[in-house]
Each structure stands twice: as C-alpha cells, then as structure tokens.
C-alpha cells in the first residue's frame, strides 16, 4: 500500500504500509491541513481524538511501568529510592 500526502505549502511526502499521518492535528485539536491521496487501493483506519488520547495515555503508562521495572533492576537505585521516588524518576524519563 502506498500513498502521498501534500501539505498546504506543497511539500509532498510518500507514505508506505504502516505509516500514519494527522497525529499533530489530534494532539493539538486543530484541523488537518493536508491532502492525502491513495496511489493504490488501500484500507484506511480512522481514529478520533478521544480514542487517540486514550491510546497515547495507555502507551505512556506502559512506558512508565517499563522504566519502573528497569530502575528497580539496578541494585544501587533499588537500595536508595522509595517506591514513589522510583515512579517519579520513571515518569521523568
């Protein structure tokens, strides 16, 4: 599957299978300012802002938990950080 995105200022970007577009419009709640044309028949998945935010929040929580486990695996940090400090450090990463 291939496609092409053309923005207001005539910049063209070629997309391939698995690529995405429009994330910044969802993050900043602003209109999408580009034209997207499929160069071949394709399946297009649409995600509204509420679901996009939910996915991003869950992804962020998963990332934080991964960092908590990583920090907890470092003996010197495990000995010196409380559980809440560990989470704060993971959240900052």
């Amino acid at each position: 599957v291939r496609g092409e995105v053309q923005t207001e200022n005539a910049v063209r970007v070629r997309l391939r299978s698995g690529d995405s577009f429009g994330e910044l419009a969802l993050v900043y709640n602003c209109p999408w300012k580009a034209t997207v044309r499929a160069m071949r028949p394709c399946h297009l998945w649409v995600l509204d802002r509420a679901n996009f935010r939910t996915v991003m929040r869950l992804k962020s929580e998963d990332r934080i938990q991964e960092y908590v486990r990583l920090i907890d695996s470092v003996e010197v940090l495990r000995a010196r950080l409380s559980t809440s400090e560990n989470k704060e450090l993971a959240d900052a990463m």
Side-chain angles (χ1 to χ4, degrees):
V1 177
R2 289 189 344 189
E4 183 176 273
V5 176
Q6 183 171 347
T7 62
E8 285 181 331
N9 56 3
V11 173
R12 286 186 170 197
V13 177
R14 296 255 176 173
L15 301 174
R16 296 184 309 246
S17 183
D19 286 348
S20 61
F21 55 89
E23 306 88 15
L24 292 178
L26 290 170
V27 168
Y28 296 109
N29 197 24
C30 62
W32 173 243
K33 296 182 179 188
T35 299
V36 179
R37 281 191 294 250
M39 298 170 75
R40 297 186 214 171
C42 67
H43 294 279
L44 180 66
W45 292 35
V46 177
L47 193 60
D48 64 20
R49 186 167 193 258
N51 285 314
F52 176 79
R53 291 176 59 93
T54 299
V55 167
M56 295 307 293
R57 182 180 46 79
L58 292 173
K59 184 177 177 184
S60 178
E61 289 171 2
D62 288 347
R63 177 189 53 81
I64 291 169
Q65 285 305 313
E66 187 177 327
Y67 285 143
V68 165
R69 287 190 296 274
L70 176 65
I71 294 165
D72 203 38
S73 72
V74 178
E75 190 174 328
V76 68
L77 294 176
R78 185 176 54 242
R80 294 186 177 171
L81 297 177
S82 68
T83 302
S84 63
E85 289 171 328
N86 184 334
K87 185 161 182 346
E88 279 184 50
L89 178 58
D91 195 31
M93 295 170 78

